[in-house]
């Protein structure tokens, strides 16, 4: 088996191990916070049969808001759930501190009471991040295949031979200069007199 096949399995094993640990720690934090908030509700004269609803409302709001914040990471509605998450975490932490102080356990118990709701908040957020990264990696599209276009060899183009010229014309700078013909003009001569024979009077 190649390294490329082993790596995804090791990543999946690490992810699911982290999910299991987060679930165990988050469950323990929820139980401790649940017990403190339930006892605080009973001390506030809430009926015993309904006191368990108070921690469910508070800590359940933290879980629901955390998942909504991560699911709406690119949506404007995330602001609302972020405020709900802050409010739920504040009520849960404050309720655990108030329970420690009301029970008379002192400041040290109040400090330790913060751990359970804070761990529940962090573990819930971490679990949502793990599950979201798993879904993102599983739905990530494969890289597009590069299409290789087959190029057919083209036929060689025929080489055209230059046409022979019968009488190449030399350039103008090489052509010989032929002088124009000279016309000889004869000087004007007056006509010569024609001799006339004169007869004398003897018959």
């Amino acid at each position: 088996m190649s390294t490329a096949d082993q790596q995804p399995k090791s990543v999946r094993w690490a992810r699911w191990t982290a999910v299991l640990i987060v679930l165990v720690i988050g469950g323990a934090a929820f139980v401790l916070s649940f017990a403190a908030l339930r006892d605080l509700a009973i001390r506030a004269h809430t009926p015993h049969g309904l006191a368990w609803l108070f921690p469910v409302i508070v800590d359940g709001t933290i879980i629901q808001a955390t998942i909504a914040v991560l699911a709406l990471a690119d949506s404007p509605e995330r602001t609302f759930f972020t405020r709900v998450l802050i409010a739920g975490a504040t009520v849960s932490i404050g309720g655990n501190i108030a329970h420690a102080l009301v029970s008379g356990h002192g400041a040290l118990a109040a400090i330790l009471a913060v751990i359970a709701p804070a761990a529940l908040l962090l573990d819930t957020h971490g679990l949502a991040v793990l599950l979201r990264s798993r879904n993102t990696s599983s739905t990530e599209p494969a890289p597009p295949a590069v299409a290789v276009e087959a190029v057919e060899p083209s036929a060689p183009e025929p080489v055209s031979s230059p046409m022979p010229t019968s009488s190449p014309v030399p350039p103008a700078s090489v052509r010989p200069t032929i002088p124009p013909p000279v016309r000889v003009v004869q000087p004007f001569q007056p006509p010569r007199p024609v001799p006339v024979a004169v007869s004398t009077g003897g018959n």
Side-chain angles (χ1 to χ4, degrees):
M1 185 178 295
S2 61
T3 306
D5 296 334
Q6 294 177 355
Q7 186 175 2
K9 290 184 177 180
S10 62
V11 171
R12 288 195 298 269
W13 179 84
R15 181 181 291 114
W16 283 112
T17 303
V19 169
L20 180 61
I21 294 174
V22 167
L23 287 175
V24 172
I25 297 176
F30 179 80
V31 170
L32 291 177
S33 179
F34 181 90
L37 294 178
R38 179 178 177 274
D39 188 59
L40 182 64
I42 292 174
R43 290 176 180 271
H45 305 288
T46 303
H48 286 72
L50 300 177
W52 63 274
L53 294 176
F54 180 66
V56 169
I57 294 172
V58 175
D59 292 337
T61 301
I62 293 177
I63 297 174
Q64 182 266 345
T66 301
I67 297 175
V69 165
L70 294 177
L72 301 175
D74 301 326
S75 177
E77 286 78 7
R78 181 185 183 184
T79 305
F80 169 76
F81 288 101
T82 301
R83 294 174 181 175
V84 172
L85 177 61
I86 294 173
T90 302
V91 172
S92 179
I93 293 175
N96 281 265
I97 295 175
H99 174 263
L101 295 177
V102 170
S103 301
H105 297 298
L108 180 60
I111 295 175
L112 294 178
V114 178
I115 297 177
L120 176 62
L121 175 64
L122 296 177
D123 292 338
T124 304
H125 184 80
L127 178 61
V129 169
L130 287 173
L131 295 177
R132 183 183 179 188
S133 65
R134 175 180 177 271
N135 294 333
T136 303
S137 61
S138 62
T139 58
E140 185 177 358
V146 179
V148 179
E149 183 179 358
V151 180
E152 298 182 357
S154 57
E157 297 181 356
V159 180
S160 59
S161 59
M163 297 295 294
T165 56
S166 58
S167 58
V169 180
S173 60
V174 186
R175 295 177 185 176
T177 303
I178 302 175
V182 179
R183 183 179 182 183
V184 180
V185 180
Q186 299 291 335
F188 176 76
Q189 295 180 359
R192 295 179 181 181
V194 178
V196 180
V198 179
S199 60
T200 61
N203 287 328

